[in-house]
Amino acid sequence: MASFISTISFLLVLSLIHFSLATRQLEDQTELYKFHYHNGPLLTGKISINLIWYGKFKPTQRAIISDFMTSLSSSTSRKISPNQPSVATWWKSTEKYFSLLKSKKASPLVLSLGNQILDETYSLGKSLNNKHIKQLAAKGDQKNAVNIVLTASDVVVDGFCSSRCGTHGSSLSSKNSPPKGKIYKFAYIWVGNSETQCPGQCAWPFHQPIYGPQGPALVAPNNDVGSDGMVMNLASLLAGTVTNPFGNGYYQGPADAPLEAASACPGVYGSGAYPGYAGNLLVDPTTGASYNAHGANGRKFLLPALFDPSTSSCSTLV
């Protein structure tokens, strides 16, 4: 009898231990998937955005993306496009990430369009890997800059369409690039034109999705599915870059597959969004194009929702 009671007591203690471990593991998992600041630097001060065009782009395509970059500045946007909601209003919401930091010494982030570099001869070929992307990104200024590599629709990049529409990262500058031979860490972004390779994946909702609920495609605001898709992906990656430039800023989940300021709200562009439906958007009465932000030179754009760290929810312009 005593032996039976001892066995029961042992099993009870063992069960309590297992329950405690399971609870702790669940708490660890829950903590892992919260949106956190990981104590690393964010991009601050005056940052120049340099565009590296790889392959053949039409002048109209370059103008669409250049106008989007110009539209990010509040001061410039007010002069060029007083209409609301605006690209600048969308971008201003990233300031919430900076305001949550304990240190207030850093200079406010001010973005400006920098140099544009054309590589229309496909100097590295039409099939690129990550090493090639870094090599191209290094062509731009490497101090106080974000270098954006934009690949044309006939360029194949490792992982493009199968697992990503673009990416962002960081790299060390070459010894000969900066003044006085000092090495800098600079941020870069790559986005591909998906018009002919995978518009259903990387240019949705301007093309029917490859899988999932099938709804009618929306009309692209600048009448260019590839470029308008690039703007959506570029906007998402730019928000992720300034708030998590070196992999230790703001993100949710594991470091090797983080959900960032925009990627934490996938497929959400307007209020009421759900899988297969981008949300309630504005519609141009003349062209029928769907959008949610006004930009420079009369442009209209569709921009992703951004995760609001103060409310732990996805925030949309409309």
Side-chain angles (χ1 to χ4, degrees), residues 180-255:
K180 299 180 181 178
K182 188 175 180 181
I183 303 286
Y184 296 94
K185 183 182 278 190
F186 69 94
Y188 68 86
I189 295 172
W190 158 70
V191 175
N193 186 329
S194 65
E195 182 176 12
T196 57
Q197 296 186 52
C198 55
Q201 183 171 335
C202 294
W204 181 85
F206 301 133
H207 190 283
Q208 282 192 301
I210 295 174
Y211 51 85
Q214 297 293 309
L218 303 181
V219 178
N222 296 289
N223 198 33
D224 190 307
V225 170
S227 296
D228 280 306
M230 291 182 83
V231 167
M232 292 188 299
N233 295 317
L234 178 55
S236 175
L237 289 164
L238 190 59
T241 296
V242 300
T243 56
N244 186 33
F246 308 119
N248 52 6
Y250 282 100
Y251 64 86
Q252 172 186 352

Side-chain angles (χ1 to χ4, degrees), residues 148-208:
I148 300 176
V149 178
L150 303 153
T151 51
S153 59
D154 57 349
V155 177
V156 177
V157 179
D158 281 357
F160 187 38
C161 296
S162 63
S163 62
R164 57 184 182 169
C165 303
T167 191
H168 79 87
S170 62
S171 184
L172 294 177
S173 62
S174 61
K175 293 181 179 179
N176 298 325
S177 295
K180 299 180 181 178
K182 188 175 180 181
I183 303 286
Y184 296 94
K185 183 182 278 190
F186 69 94
Y188 68 86
I189 295 172
W190 158 70
V191 175
N193 186 329
S194 65
E195 182 176 12
T196 57
Q197 296 186 52
C198 55
Q201 183 171 335
C202 294
W204 181 85
F206 301 133
H207 190 283
Q208 282 192 301

